């Protein structure tokens, strides 16, 4: 009887120690995933391939070979069409000729839940004409968003708005990530950065 009581006590003791240890390990794993940092200036942007809103796909490494890339991550569809995303896209479209003169390609990423995301992206585009050197990509179920550490994992949220300016080798020359709906880059700010990069490259 005594041996059985001791054995039972030891088993319970191991269990009581094991559970907290497992919880600590799991919380550490969750923390490391949840706090994955977005790529920073000076780093090489991870390659990806996403679907275009009108069909086909775009691969980052392929378009980067042609010249600088301005990668803009929108909030996509958090349950509605984000008005600040509309303002930002319109701002960049108004400067489309300047981006073309700079030899830059502007890529918008529209994240959201996979079901019906392409249709939501088309609704977001609306009657706007997207020029040849601009691209609207969809990120269903946040595959790209998570890869870039930009997933805003909260109710009615999708991704942290972000902008990356990449050189032809995909090295990030400029990055800006907002922790709110606002704080976005402007076309003027990005064009100034592209001009700065061009001046540094010619030296």
């Amino acid at each position: 009887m005594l041996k059985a009581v001791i054995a039972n006590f030891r088993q319970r003791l191991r269990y009581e120690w094991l559970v907290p240890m497992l919880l600590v390990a799991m919380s550490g794993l969750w923390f490391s995933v949840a706090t994955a940092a977005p790529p920073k200036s000076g780093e090489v942007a991870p390659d990806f391939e996403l679907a275009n809103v009108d069909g086909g796909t775009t691969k980052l490494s392929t378009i980067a070979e042609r010249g600088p890339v301005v990668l803009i991550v929108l909030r996509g569809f958090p349950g509605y069409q984000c008005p600040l995303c509309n303002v930002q896209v319109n701002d960049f479209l108004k400067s489309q000729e300047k981006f073309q003169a700079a030899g830059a390609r502007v890529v918008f990423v529209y994240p959201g839940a996979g079901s019906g995301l392409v249709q939501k992206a088309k609704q977001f585009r609306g009657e706007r004409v997207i020029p040849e050197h601009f691209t609207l990509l969809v990120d269903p179920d946040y595959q790209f968003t998570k890869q870039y550490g930009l997933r805003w994992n909260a109710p009615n949220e999708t991704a942290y708005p972000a902008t990356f300016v990449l050189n032809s080798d995909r090295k990030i020359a400029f990055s800006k990530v907002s922790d709110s709906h606002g704080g976005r880059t402007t076309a003027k700010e990005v064009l100034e950065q592209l001009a700065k990069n061009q001046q540094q490259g010619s030296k």
Side-chain angles (χ1 to χ4, degrees):
M1 175 67 79
L2 182 58
K3 288 183 179 180
V5 171
I6 293 175
N8 184 52
F9 175 76
R10 286 177 175 173
Q11 186 175 3
R12 288 180 56 191
L13 186 63
R14 284 197 299 269
Y15 177 77
E16 289 172 359
W17 275 96
L18 181 61
V19 170
M21 288 174 68
L22 286 173
L23 290 174
V24 169
M26 290 173 65
S27 64
L29 177 62
W30 176 88
F31 183 78
S32 65
V33 171
T35 57
K40 300 177 181 178
S41 296
E43 298 178 353
V44 175
D47 200 9
F48 63 84
E49 185 170 2
L50 292 175
N52 302 314
V53 70
D54 288 318
T57 62
T58 293
K59 190 172 184 178
L60 178 62
S61 56
T62 300
I63 61 173
E65 292 175 354
R66 308 174 196 168
V69 175
V70 180
L71 177 61
I72 301 174
V73 184
L74 305 170
R75 289 182 64 228
F77 192 75
Y80 57 92
Q81 302 293 359
C82 172
L84 292 180
C85 294
N86 271 301
V87 170
Q88 187 180 29
V89 169
N90 287 338
D91 178 43
F92 276 78
L93 285 173
K94 288 177 182 177
S95 297
Q96 59 181 274
E97 293 180 358
K98 295 180 180 179
F99 283 104
Q100 187 173 27
R105 190 172 187 88
V106 179
V107 177
F108 297 106
V109 177
Y110 186 96
S115 178
L117 186 62
V118 171
Q119 187 60 34
K120 294 292 190 299
K122 288 181 178 180
Q123 291 173 0
F124 172 78
R125 181 185 58 189
E127 299 299 320
R128 286 179 289 214
V129 177
I130 305 296
E132 186 178 350
H133 57 294
F134 277 53
T135 306
L136 177 60
L137 305 178
V138 290
D139 177 30
D141 297 326
Y142 314 106
Q143 181 179 354
F144 157 86
T145 301
K146 292 175 182 177
Q147 179 187 10
Y148 269 61
L150 296 172
R151 178 74 169 101
W152 191 343
N153 198 8
N156 300 319
E157 297 298 350
T158 51
Y160 291 106
T163 299
F164 304 93
V165 176
L166 317 177
N167 295 325
S168 57
D169 56 0
R170 301 207 324 269
K171 184 173 287 187
I172 300 173
F174 169 87
S175 67
K176 184 175 184 178
V177 179
S178 174
D179 60 358
S180 67
H181 296 173
R184 317 287 187 93
T185 53
T186 63
K188 181 176 182 292
E189 181 181 9
V190 173
L191 286 166
E192 289 174 350
Q193 183 62 46
L194 287 169
K196 180 180 177 182
N197 294 351
Q198 191 174 28
Q199 289 175 356
Q200 291 176 344
S202 62
K203 291 181 180 179

